[in-house]
Amino acid sequence: AQLLGIHLEGPFLASEYKGAMPEERLCRGDAALVEQYQQMAKGGIRYMTVSPEAEGVMDLIPVLQKYGIVAAMGHSGADYATAMQAVEKGVRAVTHTGNAMRLLHQHEPAIWGAALESDVYCEIICDGRHLHPGTVRLIIKTKGAERVVAITDSIMAAGLPDGNYHLGVNQVVVEDGDAKLAESGVRAGSTLTQNAALRNLLAFTGMPLEEVIPMLTENPARLIGVYNQKGSIEEGKDADLVMLNERNQIVSVVIRGEVLN
């Protein structure tokens, strides 16, 4: 695999919707800290999840753009107005839509409503646990497939047996492929793989393969700014290819023109 960049999911997150994030690691928006992170990463940070309502975050969003980081909002209880303000400031995506965020209410659409109404990209985790298949269909129908990015949100246990693992400083227990914090039972990422996500999307939506594929390829490449190199099969782009059989199982992988298996 080729690492295209780092996604920092925190530390500028709201305590109420922190999910599996350690409370003691959360902090207010801090431009100097972002600069320090990006220097330590040698410019490798491409994507960052922030909570719009957290102190200092609204002013931080334009700073992220300055450092070449795509701003996404998530782990958030932001109201509708705050979330829409974040979009106006430059947020371009919503992290694992519907999970670890305030949900839509008819009198207060909240961050969920802003995610569906605005033109931001919506990430979706299609493991059948984080989102009901009907919710997956709703998001795609509302946003249009061109604004949906299928992600895994996987932890180190992806592709491995049930057992005990780590997520940062947290102990995680995986049972029947479901990852949860050992201490609280809160869901902690997933063990989904992208090939399984593809098959789930096909099963959940009934859409043809050619309409589903861009949610795993073109859309994320456009979102993080690498579509000139990746995300579609075109002359001059990196020859990163996954060969599937008739059951949409992986047969072979090609990275930059080199056949790996």
Side-chain angles (χ1 to χ4, degrees):
Q2 182 189 1
L3 182 65
L4 297 184
I6 298 166
H7 172 192
L8 285 185
E9 202 167 335
F12 314 125
L13 301 178
S15 176
E16 184 181 0
Y17 289 87
K18 66 182 184 297
M21 307 297 173
E23 178 80 29
E24 65 274 12
R25 302 300 172 96
L26 305 182
C27 61
R28 69 180 306 280
D30 186 336
L33 191 56
V34 170
E35 180 179 14
Q36 180 184 342
Y37 285 160
Q38 192 65 302
Q39 288 177 348
M40 293 173 68
K42 298 179 180 179
I45 302 170
R46 285 187 179 271
Y47 198 77
M48 189 170 193
T49 299
V50 296
S51 301
E53 75 274 29
E55 184 181 356
V57 163
M58 204 64 76
D59 292 333
L60 185 67
I61 294 170
V63 176
L64 297 181
Q65 298 174 33
K66 171 186 171 183
Y67 289 108
I69 301 171
V70 175
M73 58 184 177
H75 286 275
S76 170
D79 61 23
Y80 173 83
T82 301
M84 290 300 277
Q85 183 185 358
V87 174
E88 293 172 4
K89 285 278 190 177
V91 159
R92 296 191 56 219
V94 177
T95 300
H96 44 55
T97 310
N99 289 273
M101 66 173 52
R102 187 176 173 188
L103 300 182
L104 184 147
H105 186 279
Q106 69 269 28
H107 300 307
E108 174 46 72
I111 184 175
W112 171 264
L116 293 181
E117 182 189 356
S118 67
D119 289 333
V120 297
Y121 287 86
C122 279
E123 295 181 358
I124 55 173
I125 307 172
C126 294
D127 61 355
R129 293 187 173 101
H130 285 80
L131 295 172
H132 186 280
T135 306
V136 171
R137 293 190 294 270
L138 172 65
I139 293 171
I140 294 172
K141 187 171 184 177
T142 306
K143 298 295 297 183
E146 69 279 0
R147 285 290 172 180
V148 175
V149 173
I151 66 164
T152 64
D153 202 45
S154 286
I155 64 170
M156 64 185 297
L160 298 176
D162 287 356
N164 298 315
Y165 296 92
H166 285 91
L167 175 59
V169 298
N170 295 314
Q171 295 282 342
V172 174
V173 177
V174 177
E175 296 178 348
D176 192 26
D178 197 6
K180 296 181 179 180
L181 293 182
E183 184 175 339
S184 64
V186 171
R187 183 163 283 133
S190 84
T191 61
L192 184 66
T193 55
Q194 199 73 316
N195 55 324
L198 170 63
R199 293 192 294 271
N200 288 343
L201 260 171
L202 291 168
F204 292 172
T205 66
M207 296 169 64
L209 182 64
E210 63 269 22
E211 293 181 15
V212 170
I213 285 290
M215 290 187 259
L216 296 84
T217 55
E218 178 179 341
N219 298 354
R222 288 186 184 278
L223 175 58
I224 66 169
V226 297
Y227 188 64
N228 62 321
Q229 301 170 263
K230 303 179 184 293
S232 65
I233 303 173
E234 297 179 51
E235 184 176 351
K237 288 192 173 185
D238 297 342
D240 296 337
L241 308 168
V242 179
M243 312 297 185
L244 305 176
N245 62 19
E246 66 279 1
R247 297 185 302 279
N248 294 308
Q249 295 172 323
I250 296 174
V251 174
S252 183
V253 175
V254 180
I255 299 294
R256 290 193 171 183
E258 180 184 354
V259 181
L260 300 187
N261 64 319

